[in-house]
Amino acid sequence: MSTSSRGSPRSGGTPRSGRASWAGTNSRANSAARLMAQLKQQRDGVLSDSSSEEEPPKIQEPRAVPPRLTKHERRKSTRELKKTEKEEKKRVKEEKKRAKKIRKEGSISGISRSSTLERSSSSSKPKVSIQASDSTPPQEQDQAVSDAGDSESNDREVIIGKDGFGRDIKKKYSELTDEEREVYDGKNAPGSVFIPPLDAGTDATAESDSSADSDLDPSMEAVTKSEAPISAEASKNDEDTPVSEATPLVVPPAEASDAVEAESVSVNDGSADTVETKLPTIVTEDTSVALLEQIRELKGENQKLKSQIRQKDAVISSLQQKLGMLMAANEPDAHPSKKGKKGKEQVFKLETLKLLRHNKRVAMMDQEESFGHRERLVLEVMTTEQSYVTGLEILCQIYLNKFLEAAKDSGGKINEEDVKTIFGNIETLRIINQNLLKDLEERLDQWYDEGMDKIGDILTKWAPQMKPYSRFGGHFNESLEKIEEMKSNSVWRKTLEELDESVGQLDGLALQAYFIMPVQRLPRYVLLIRDLLKKTPPEHQDFKALEEAAVEMGRAADTLNEKIREAESNVHFFQITDRKNGFDRLITHPKQFRGARLWIREDSVKALFNVREDRLYSGKKKLELISFNDILVFSPLVSKKAPPQDYHIPTALCYARIATVKLLQRYELDVELFSTAVVVYGPQNQWVIAFANMGMLNNWLKDLESVMQLRPGLDATEGIREGKYEFKNDSVGVYDGEWCNNFLHGKGTLIVGKTIYDGYWDEKYRAGFGYIDGGKFKETKTVGWKFTPDNQVKVVDEHGLWEEGELTDRDWQLILTGAHKVQKSKDERFIEQGRQNLSLFRVESGKIRVEKSTTPGGPKKVLVKLGPGTVLGDTSVIPSMKAATADVLADEPVTLKAISINILFGLFRGNPGLSMRFYRQMARKLATQLRSLHSKKAPPPTDDEESESDEEGVVKKQIQEVKPKEEEGVKMDAETLELLKKFELPLTENLIISCECSLKGILKKVGVLHVFSNNICFESNVFGSSNKDVFLLEDITDLAVDKKGLRLTCNKKKHQYINVKNLTAFKAMVVPLWAEALNNPTKVPTKKSKKAKLKKTATQSAARAEKSEAVTMLQEDWELLIDGAKSHHYHAGDYIIKEGMEHLRIYQIATGRAAIKKNTPNGEILLGHLEANSLFGEMTFLEKGEATASIIAEGPCQVYIIEGYFINILFVNHPALAGRFYSYLATILAQRLSDRELQIQREYAEAKAKRRAARKERLALTNSNDSKE
């Protein structure tokens, strides 16, 4: 391996990374020595080098002081200095490339080697390169070096210091005075110690890295450090010095028979004084192993030396920082040789400012040439952190400390509290980032150790510690304004100008530039981490930590930005409140329900129309729409006496829609003036606002939506809102909850005086349901309420619709008012299974028994025996239950009270509350029985079963029930006949096509479209309500089929069907049929005959339903329920209902399929499935408990949902609906109970059939064995 020049503290070696070495800059050494001398004089020797045993000798400062220069001369000098530094960097770069090239040309085996030494004290100093040859005696080589040094010693130009502007002071060595020569020689003598200053082009670690990377022989290194003439013989004969990779190895002649003579390699740096000689470098194959072993050992030692050097460099860097801080604190008020603008004296010298720099060089930089994108980004994180911490040091050590000193010395002209307010917690930020930088530097020093190529853990560790930044950001704008305000103070202004000019020497920045750094730093972290993530493979150990750090830093940056926005908003807010004339009331009126009130924006509008007052605001008067985070305020409406409800609209509760021409015409507004207008609705206000242009309107809408706290998927035009509002009318009070279209809707609490209404509300029916407390109600009670026309809240509870519990004695007295007594003897039957029962019975005395047959014609079993108080025949009150499900007999002489069911229906018609409680109790009773049957399985058959003939009859019935379906053609004909009957169409109609679709409306009703030869029919089923539409083709005036579905107009009424399946085939069938029907109309019944038919049908239906209309759901009832229903879509695996969930809802599957599952100790089991049109959730609604099983969608599933609170709100305005609705629930549960009983019987029969077949097989096998025997 070829050697590279080593840069020692006084050698001219090539530095690493293009940085200037300490030794090549004698003026910097003089500056450091001078600073240390001054500091020692002021502090009486406080500072000492803790890392060395001896203190550095005192060095006299040069007496040469340059004359003062003009402004033009200073600028010219600065340009020349920059040019010189640029050339120096270029030269260093070229030297580095040359050294790299030499290293590459070297041979590891030592066949071709050279020994080169470059000596350079400055960029202008000539270099001498000496190469030893076997023909030149060592004495002559030493003499050549000595002569070369003497020839240049007197004529060379040396640097003895720097002038007041940082320029080098150069003189020829022969022209130096005795004192200057003594100072120069003393500084460059062996053993002198000094601490070099740090600046942008000089790094304390540059020398250490340069020397660590050098492969020179230690003996040569010692010679280089002492700058003594080189003696090749002394270097070769030094037995105590280890041999380096660059030292020529001389093999004894006995082992050199097969050796190859080395070639001569000359390194010429351009100087004329180059001596070239060959060295006897001979290596055999036998010595190669030993040579490689030596190389490995030397590399290990080299690593140890690198580590030691870095430790010393860290100590030096720390001392430099302390030195900079001490110098900044003890800098004299002026420097006699340096003045700034208009002759003002500088407060700090450049050398002192440079000592505050954080630019430690880490081990990672040694491999900078081979860096990839990730390594460069990692290094950028550290270097930008160094620059940032330097800025924090300047803010704290320079500006903050000097302003505090100025405040103490100003005699009260500068308030110390003002200074602390301006700088806030900047010192806390400095401490945080100093520690973060320390961790980063340590990690990059160990970057190439195993498992240490990561920084995500460090960033993740420190990201949560960035909370003080939000406090700094909260006072950032206030601090900037305070700085501008303080400039009117002459003492402050003078101090600031001096500090800005002094600090500007370093990077050309002033106080405000440094002050904004903390605000910019957190977003910079986020950008750096995101860039680093892009260049980090997902499998890398640092990837997850970087992701976490990005989230944490992003959160901290968002908090900082939010605090800054809040601070800026506060400034605008108080500027508005300072207007007085009622604007000062905005601080407290209206009340702030969403935290602090923050200003968002102000807009000058062309006009505003107040709908409530029917008043137009326009003209020359300034019209301002002021937007806050919680309210919108129209400035002309603000006054000292106006109530807050008159001049504001809450942002959380408002709706904003673009004004249409139709709306403008309704309010008789100028369409041109309001061409770019928006309508804003609030609980008690409605404004039409005209903006100057559409761009301003859109920007305002965007900012409005950002503070409205909308639910996902909603915008400013629609949807549910949530918030608190105090009404202008005291009779309404304060409402906190959900809203819809500026009225109470959903869950919420209204407080009117001392009365609290806590429950659910509906904006359409202007009613509510829930708990009421306070006022005239001494205890909490469940009631309904509604708003009167004058906005008064009225409690509705005259029917006792929400009384919990069973039927009371008072209720039974009402029910049995028209009852008569009946006496039954023992074993007398008064209710017979399978026959219709027309009375309701209640046992007064004695006992009865209930018997039931599980098979037709089979024996009856006693189910239960009951005593007085038992109600019998209650299921007969359900209109759909035409036959009794069991026999009821007197077990002993009994006395009954019986009432006709028809009389009972009349009683229910006049008392909705009694009807609701009766059917609710019945529905709950049926739900309990159904739950017990769900958990019950068919009993296993025994040998003592009924006769074979009975079993055969049961089995035959079961086989008939489960027999295969008919052929497809027969099925289609049967279905067609059923459809013709359902839609009351003539038998001549033919079914053309049927397609599933949805009827567009508030609730998308899922159903089926049937196209016949002369009619189009639609049917749907929503919560038991069957919807049927029939359109005669020739009556359809408009028909269109496209991607949106089917749109038709019939009898001036429009209908739209969407999501039509097989749309292409449907279109191909329907359009030609409609065109043909228009061209060739058929003879259809006249309207008169239709009306007669409908009238006859209605009369018959009324006659049949007259007796039971009080307990049967009417079409109007279904329309009310469906009006409040919602449609939800679920994906496969979604929970529609989760076991254990409390809910008051009723569900119906519109499309799709769902599974019923239940958790058991052995895991989740499948109980069954729910198909389309299946109803569920009613049992939990009745019992107000938790769901006992989970309903899970097995695929795309559409479900209708009715909220329980909405049903109860309907009862407020429609009390009679309550009994009919619970009768409907009881009917559903009774039907399910009957179906479950049949299912159990079927399972029981199947089990018996299997047992009988098994018994026959065993019997046949036994007979076969007997015959064989």
Side-chain angles (χ1 to χ4, degrees):
M1 296 176 63
S2 63
T3 62
S4 62
S5 301
R6 180 177 180 113
S8 64
R10 291 181 308 283
S11 69
T14 305
R16 300 284 295 176
S17 303
R19 296 178 181 263
S21 66
W22 297 351
T25 314
N26 295 325
S27 60
R28 294 173 181 162
N30 285 335
S31 300
R34 184 170 66 255
L35 291 174
M36 290 185 64
Q38 291 177 354
L39 187 61
K40 281 181 173 292
Q41 292 175 5
Q42 295 175 11
R43 291 281 185 145
D44 297 326
V46 174
L47 182 65
S48 62
D49 189 353
S50 60
S51 62
S52 61
E53 298 181 357
E54 298 181 1
E55 295 185 356
K58 295 183 179 180
I59 302 176
Q60 297 182 2
E61 188 173 348
R63 297 179 181 178
V65 178
R68 294 180 180 178
L69 303 178
T70 63
K71 181 178 180 181
H72 176 71
E73 290 174 337
R74 290 200 303 273
R75 288 182 176 176
K76 183 178 180 181
S77 174
T78 303
R79 287 195 297 270
E80 291 176 353
L81 181 60
K82 290 183 178 179
K83 184 178 180 181
T84 304
E85 290 179 352
K86 188 174 180 181
E87 292 175 352
E88 175 67 15
K89 290 181 179 180
K90 185 176 180 181
R91 186 194 66 79
V92 169
K93 190 174 181 180
E94 291 175 354
E95 290 288 346
K96 184 177 178 180
K97 289 182 178 179
R98 188 183 297 113
K100 183 178 178 182
K101 183 177 180 182
I102 293 171
R103 288 197 300 271
K104 288 183 178 179
E105 291 175 352
S107 174
I108 296 179
S109 62
I111 294 177
S112 177
R113 293 179 178 274
S114 66
S115 175
T116 305
L117 179 65
E118 293 178 7
R119 301 177 65 246
S120 175
S121 300
S122 67
S123 61
S124 61
K125 183 176 176 180
K127 301 179 183 177
V128 179
S129 177
I130 299 177
Q131 295 181 329
S133 175
D134 54 356
S135 60
T136 305
Q139 292 81 2
E140 294 181 12
Q141 296 175 17
D142 297 342
Q143 186 63 33
V145 175
S146 178
D147 292 342
D150 293 338
S151 64
E152 63 159 357
S153 59
N154 294 327
D155 296 333
R156 62 178 174 168
E157 194 176 52
V158 298
I159 300 174
I160 62 173
K162 284 184 177 290
D163 60 14
F165 303 100
R167 298 177 300 178
D168 294 337
I169 302 175
K170 300 179 181 180
K171 279 189 177 182
K172 288 188 177 181
Y173 187 79
S174 59
E175 296 177 359
L176 295 178
T177 63
D178 294 340
E179 187 174 3
E180 290 174 343
R181 185 174 297 178
E182 181 180 353
V183 171
Y184 176 77
D185 293 341
K187 182 181 74 64
N188 290 287
S192 62
V193 179
F194 69 100
I195 300 175
L198 289 172
D199 56 17
T202 307
D203 193 354
T205 61
E207 183 275 338
S208 65
D209 287 308
S210 178
S211 41
D213 289 334
S214 175
D215 294 326
L216 281 178
D217 178 62
S219 62
M220 284 194 172
E221 184 179 343
V223 173
T224 306
K225 286 184 179 180
S226 63
E227 296 191 5
I230 301 174
S231 172
E233 183 178 0
S235 174
K236 184 173 64 178
N237 297 331
D238 189 358
E239 297 179 355
D240 298 331
T241 304
V243 181
S244 72
E245 298 176 30
T247 305
L249 298 180
V250 181
V251 184
E255 302 176 0
S257 57
D258 298 327
V260 181
E261 188 175 7
E263 296 181 1
S264 174
V265 180
S266 173
V267 179
N268 193 339
D269 60 356
S271 62
D273 302 328
T274 301
V275 182
E276 181 176 358
T277 314
K278 287 187 177 181
L279 287 173
T281 308
I282 302 172
V283 179
T284 64
E285 293 182 0
D286 297 336
T287 59
S288 61
V289 176
L291 177 61
L292 292 174
E293 184 65 29
Q294 286 182 345
I295 290 173
R296 281 194 290 269
E297 292 178 0
L298 290 173
K299 281 185 177 180
E301 294 177 2
N302 190 25
Q303 291 296 331
K304 292 180 181 178
L305 290 173
K306 283 184 180 181
S307 177
Q308 294 175 3
I309 291 170
R310 289 194 184 95
Q311 291 176 2
K312 293 179 180 179
D313 287 341
V315 175
I316 292 172
S317 178
S318 175
L319 290 173
Q320 285 175 333
Q321 293 298 323
K322 293 179 181 178
L323 176 63
M325 295 176 188
L326 290 171
M327 284 185 171
N330 296 277
E331 187 77 34
D333 292 336
H335 190 272
S337 62
K338 206 169 203 178
K339 293 188 177 181
K341 296 179 180 180
K342 300 180 181 180
K344 292 182 180 179
E345 297 173 340
Q346 299 288 1
V347 180
F348 291 96
K349 291 179 287 188
L350 181 62
E351 288 79 5
T352 302
L353 297 173
K354 287 181 178 179
L355 288 172
L356 295 176
R357 280 193 184 276
H358 286 260
N359 52 3
K360 176 185 174 182
R361 184 175 178 82
V362 295
M364 183 185 183
M365 294 179 177
D366 296 346
Q367 307 294 332
E368 192 169 356
E369 294 175 358
S370 61
F371 276 2
H373 289 295
R374 172 174 161 76
E375 286 76 13
R376 293 188 188 281
L377 288 170
V378 169
L379 187 60
E380 184 180 355
V381 173
M382 188 203 72
T383 54
T384 54
E385 188 70 17
Q386 289 177 335
S387 301
Y388 173 58
V389 175
T390 299
L392 294 179
E393 295 284 5
I394 290 173
L395 278 174
C396 295
Q397 301 296 334
I398 303 297
Y399 285 103
L400 177 58
N401 290 343
K402 282 299 178 182
F403 275 124
L404 289 175
E405 290 178 7
K408 293 179 181 179
D409 300 339
S410 65
K413 293 183 178 180
I414 298 179
N415 190 347
E416 187 173 343
E417 291 301 320
D418 289 340
V419 177
K420 293 180 179 179
T421 300
I422 289 172
F423 289 91
N425 62 337
I426 192 68
E427 289 185 326
T428 303
L429 306 187
R430 178 173 67 97
I431 294 171
I432 292 172
N433 286 87
Q434 278 180 342
N435 287 284
L436 171 58
L437 176 60
K438 181 182 177 182
D439 287 352
L440 288 172
E441 289 175 342
E442 290 178 356
R443 178 58 55 82
L444 268 61
D445 258 335
Q446 306 167 357
W447 185 258
Y448 293 105
D449 294 348
E450 185 177 356
M452 302 303 289
D453 56 338
K454 58 182 180 179
I455 60 170
D457 56 332
I458 296 175
L459 297 172
T460 304
K461 167 188 172 184
W462 285 100
Q465 309 302 323
M466 299 297 173
K467 292 180 181 178
Y469 275 85
S470 59
R471 179 184 169 192
F472 181 85
H475 298 281
F476 176 70
N477 289 317
E478 181 184 353
S479 299
L480 291 181
E481 291 180 0
K482 192 69 176 177
I483 291 173
E484 292 298 322
E485 179 186 333
M486 292 292 289
K487 287 182 180 179
S488 60
N489 187 315
S490 58
V491 179
W492 172 278
R493 184 173 63 254
K494 181 180 178 181
T495 305
L496 179 60
E497 289 176 354
E498 291 175 352
L499 291 175
D500 279 347
E501 187 174 351
S502 180
V503 171
Q505 302 173 90
L506 188 62
D507 292 316
L509 303 179
L511 173 60
Q512 288 189 344
Y514 286 108
F515 206 78
I516 202 174
M517 284 183 178
V519 176
Q520 297 172 333
R521 188 56 186 165
L522 291 187
R524 182 71 184 278
Y525 282 136
V526 177
L527 294 176
L528 287 171
I529 295 172
R530 287 176 181 172
D531 290 342
L532 191 55
L533 269 172
K534 294 177 183 178
K535 302 300 180 183
T536 303
E539 63 274 8
H540 195 280
Q541 61 173 344
D542 204 19
F543 189 81
K544 290 185 178 179
L546 286 173
E547 282 187 323
E548 185 178 349
V551 173
E552 292 291 336
M553 284 295 185
R555 189 178 293 118
D558 291 341
T559 304
L560 173 63
N561 293 333
E562 184 64 28
K563 290 294 182 181
I564 293 174
R565 283 194 295 269
E566 288 180 7
E568 181 182 0
S569 172
N570 288 334
V571 173
H572 289 280
F573 177 70
F574 288 110
Q575 287 176 351
I576 293 172
T577 56
D578 287 343
R579 298 179 188 177
K580 307 300 182 182
N581 297 326
F583 284 95
D584 52 337
R585 299 173 62 204
L586 292 175
I587 299 176
T588 56
H589 294 80
K591 293 181 180 179
Q592 301 177 15
F593 297 127
R594 294 174 59 186
R597 180 160 295 151
L598 302 176
W599 174 91
I600 303 300
R601 59 183 292 159
E602 294 177 43
D603 296 275
S604 295
V605 298
K606 293 192 299 182
L608 184 143
F609 177 69
N610 191 341
V611 178
R612 182 175 59 83
E613 296 181 352
D614 194 21
R615 180 177 177 182
L616 177 65
Y617 295 85
S618 63
K620 297 182 180 180
K621 186 177 180 180
K622 188 176 181 181
L623 306 176
E624 282 186 325
L625 180 64
I626 309 172
S627 303
F628 296 93
N629 66 322
D630 62 335
I631 58 173
L632 301 176
V633 176
F634 184 53
S635 58
L637 298 177
V638 180
S639 65
K640 293 182 179 180
K641 296 183 179 180
Q645 292 84 356
D646 288 351
Y647 58 73
H648 93 278
I649 292 178
T651 57
L653 308 180
C654 77
Y655 294 82
R657 302 181 180 95
I658 301 297
T660 61
V661 175
K662 186 176 180 180
L663 182 139
L664 298 177
Q665 292 174 349
R666 185 197 308 168
Y667 297 129
E668 300 180 355
L669 298 175
D670 185 354
V671 176
E672 185 177 352
L673 178 62
F674 287 87
S675 59
T676 53
V678 63
V679 186
V680 182
Y681 306 85
Q684 290 185 294
N685 275 316
Q686 182 178 342
W687 299 338
V688 183
I689 308 168
F691 285 85
N693 52 64
M694 203 65 189
M696 183 184 296
L697 188 153
N698 289 332
N699 290 335
W700 179 82
L701 278 176
K702 184 178 179 181
D703 289 340
L704 175 64
E705 289 184 352
S706 67
V707 298
M708 286 180 66
Q709 297 183 350
L710 296 172
R711 294 183 179 183
L714 299 180
D715 56 19
T717 63
E718 61 182 358
I720 300 295
R721 303 286 189 265
E722 188 172 358
K724 192 173 184 180
Y725 183 78
E726 183 176 4
F727 287 88
K728 182 179 178 180
N729 188 354
D730 293 337
S731 61
V732 180
V734 180
Y735 175 75
D736 185 9
E738 296 177 324
W739 301 70
C740 183
N741 296 327
N742 308 126
F743 193 80
L744 295 63
H745 185 85
K747 185 174 177 58
T749 303
L750 177 67
I751 301 176
V752 182
K754 295 182 180 180
T755 307
I756 301 174
Y757 301 87
D758 184 11
Y760 295 89
W761 309 76
D762 187 85
E763 58 92 13
K764 183 176 181 180
Y765 298 100
R766 297 178 66 84
F769 155 79
Y771 302 100
I772 188 171
D773 193 11
K776 63 180 181 180
F777 297 92
K778 296 182 180 180
E779 58 183 18
T780 303
K781 188 177 182 181
T782 303
V783 296
W785 52 75
K786 62 182 178 180
F787 282 90
T788 61
D790 58 345
N791 283 331
Q792 301 288 330
V793 183
K794 179 183 178 182
V795 176
V796 180
D797 192 35
E798 60 267 24
H799 299 295
L801 296 176
W802 296 280
E803 292 180 2
E804 292 295 333
E806 302 291 331
L807 288 169
T808 62
D809 292 337
R810 180 174 174 275
D811 292 334
W812 279 112
Q813 289 176 4
L814 289 173
I815 292 172
L816 300 176
T817 299
H820 59 280
K821 285 188 177 182
V822 178
Q823 301 286 338
K824 297 291 181 182
S825 59
K826 184 178 180 181
D827 297 330
E828 185 178 355
R829 181 185 294 109
F830 53 93
I831 296 178
E832 186 176 355
Q833 182 180 355
R835 290 195 176 185
Q836 188 175 6
N837 176 48
L838 299 177
S839 298
L840 178 70
F841 302 92
R842 188 180 186 190
V843 179
E844 294 292 316
S845 62
K847 288 185 178 182
I848 57 96
R849 69 177 182 271
V850 180
E851 296 178 350
K852 189 169 185 177
S853 173
T854 57
T855 59
K860 296 183 178 180
K861 295 182 179 180
V862 177
L863 299 181
V864 67
K865 292 184 179 182
L866 302 171
T870 303
V871 178
L872 305 169
D874 49 355
T875 55
S876 300
V877 185
I878 300 175
S880 62
M881 300 296 291
K882 298 179 180 179
T885 58
D887 287 341
V888 181
L889 300 89
D891 194 51
E892 60 184 42
V894 295
T895 302
L896 304 169
K897 272 195 174 183
I899 184 172
S900 172
I901 291 178
N902 292 333
I903 296 175
L904 193 61
F905 286 161
L907 181 62
F908 288 161
R909 189 180 301 109
N911 193 330
L914 178 63
S915 174
M916 187 272 289
R917 290 191 294 275
F918 179 86
Y919 282 107
R920 183 181 63 187
Q921 177 174 318
M922 183 187 299
R924 288 176 176 174
K925 176 182 176 182
L926 293 170
T928 303
Q929 294 177 6
L930 186 58
R931 286 190 190 279
S932 63
L933 282 181
H934 276 315
S935 59
K936 183 179 179 181
K937 294 183 179 180
T942 62
D943 293 332
D944 301 330
E945 297 292 346
E946 50 263 24
S947 64
E948 185 74 16
S949 60
D950 292 336
E951 291 180 353
E952 290 177 355
V954 174
V955 172
K956 287 179 181 179
K957 183 179 179 181
Q958 300 303 324
I959 292 174
Q960 290 175 0
E961 291 178 355
V962 298
K963 67 181 179 179
K965 295 182 179 179
E966 298 175 354
E967 295 295 327
E968 189 67 15
V970 177
K971 178 184 176 183
M972 290 297 295
D973 291 339
E975 287 184 356
T976 302
L977 290 173
E978 176 116 14
L979 290 174
L980 293 176
K981 183 178 179 181
K982 181 185 296 184
F983 294 111
E984 298 181 357
L985 297 175
L987 297 177
T988 56
E989 286 289 288
N990 295 320
L991 179 64
I992 307 299
I993 189 172
S994 297
C995 297
E996 292 183 4
C997 65
S998 299
L999 175 63
K1000 187 174 181 180
I1002 298 175
L1003 178 70
K1004 294 180 181 179
K1005 297 180 181 179
V1006 178
V1008 182
L1009 268 173
H1010 304 284
V1011 180
F1012 294 90
S1013 53
N1014 293 295
N1015 294 273
I1016 296 178
C1017 304
F1018 174 76
E1019 64 171 337
S1020 64
N1021 191 343
V1022 182
F1023 291 110
S1025 171
S1026 180
N1027 179 48
K1028 290 180 287 188
D1029 295 324
V1030 181
F1031 307 104
L1032 189 64
L1033 284 173
E1034 61 189 56
D1035 291 342
I1036 298 175
T1037 56
D1038 184 28
L1039 185 144
V1041 182
D1042 52 23
K1043 292 182 179 179
K1044 295 182 179 180
L1046 169 66
R1047 298 191 304 277
L1048 61 87
T1049 304
C1050 185
N1051 298 326
K1052 298 181 180 181
K1053 189 175 180 181
K1054 295 182 179 180
H1055 304 266
Q1056 183 174 357
Y1057 301 92
I1058 59 176
N1059 302 328
V1060 180
K1061 292 187 178 180
N1062 301 324
L1063 185 62
T1064 305
F1066 182 81
K1067 181 178 181 180
M1069 296 288 186
V1070 172
V1071 176
L1073 282 174
W1074 177 60
E1076 184 180 353
L1078 291 179
N1079 296 328
N1080 302 305
T1082 60
K1083 292 182 179 181
V1084 294
T1086 61
K1087 294 183 179 180
K1088 184 176 180 181
S1089 61
K1090 279 186 176 181
K1091 286 184 177 179
K1093 184 177 180 181
L1094 291 174
K1095 184 176 181 180
K1096 181 180 179 182
T1097 305
T1099 304
Q1100 293 174 352
S1101 300
R1104 288 195 302 266
E1106 182 179 1
K1107 298 179 180 180
S1108 60
E1109 66 176 4
V1111 295
T1112 303
M1113 290 286 288
L1114 307 177
Q1115 184 62 31
E1116 299 82 36
D1117 299 336
W1118 288 117
E1119 290 176 357
L1120 289 172
L1121 284 172
I1122 294 172
D1123 190 42
K1126 302 174 184 178
S1127 178
H1128 286 261
H1129 291 270
Y1130 297 90
H1131 300 286
D1134 291 348
Y1135 279 88
I1136 303 173
I1137 295 178
K1138 195 167 186 178
E1139 184 177 352
M1141 180 179 74
E1142 293 184 1
H1143 66 89
L1144 292 176
R1145 291 175 172 179
I1146 298 178
Y1147 302 81
Q1148 180 187 338
I1149 295 180
T1151 60
R1153 190 181 189 215
I1156 308 172
K1157 295 185 178 181
K1158 185 176 181 62
N1159 289 322
T1160 65
N1162 298 325
E1164 196 174 52
I1165 61 172
L1166 178 66
L1167 299 180
H1169 292 89
L1170 294 174
E1171 306 292 342
N1173 296 327
S1174 297
L1175 195 76
F1176 58 97
E1178 74 285 350
M1179 294 172 68
T1180 306
F1181 171 81
L1182 285 168
E1183 298 173 351
K1184 296 182 180 180
E1186 298 179 349
T1188 56
S1190 297
I1191 310 295
I1192 306 171
E1194 291 190 334
C1197 196
Q1198 182 180 348
V1199 179
Y1200 299 136
I1201 299 175
I1202 296 182
E1203 297 286 351
Y1205 72 83
F1206 175 75
I1207 297 172
N1208 283 282
I1209 290 174
L1210 288 179
F1211 297 163
V1212 175
N1213 291 328
H1214 307 276
L1217 174 62
R1220 294 195 289 266
F1221 177 76
Y1222 280 102
S1223 171
Y1224 164 69
L1225 293 183
T1227 302
I1228 292 175
L1229 293 172
Q1231 185 61 47
R1232 285 191 186 174
L1233 185 64
S1234 176
D1235 293 343
R1236 179 58 182 163
E1237 288 176 346
L1238 288 175
Q1239 183 182 0
I1240 292 176
Q1241 291 176 15
R1242 187 182 299 114
E1243 292 173 357
Y1244 181 70
E1246 289 175 355
K1248 288 174 65 177
K1250 289 180 181 179
R1251 184 179 179 85
R1252 186 175 64 251
R1255 187 166 59 246
K1256 286 182 178 181
E1257 288 181 3
R1258 290 197 303 269
L1259 181 60
L1261 182 61
T1262 303
N1263 294 335
S1264 175
N1265 294 334
D1266 292 342
S1267 63
K1268 288 180 181 180
E1269 292 178 358

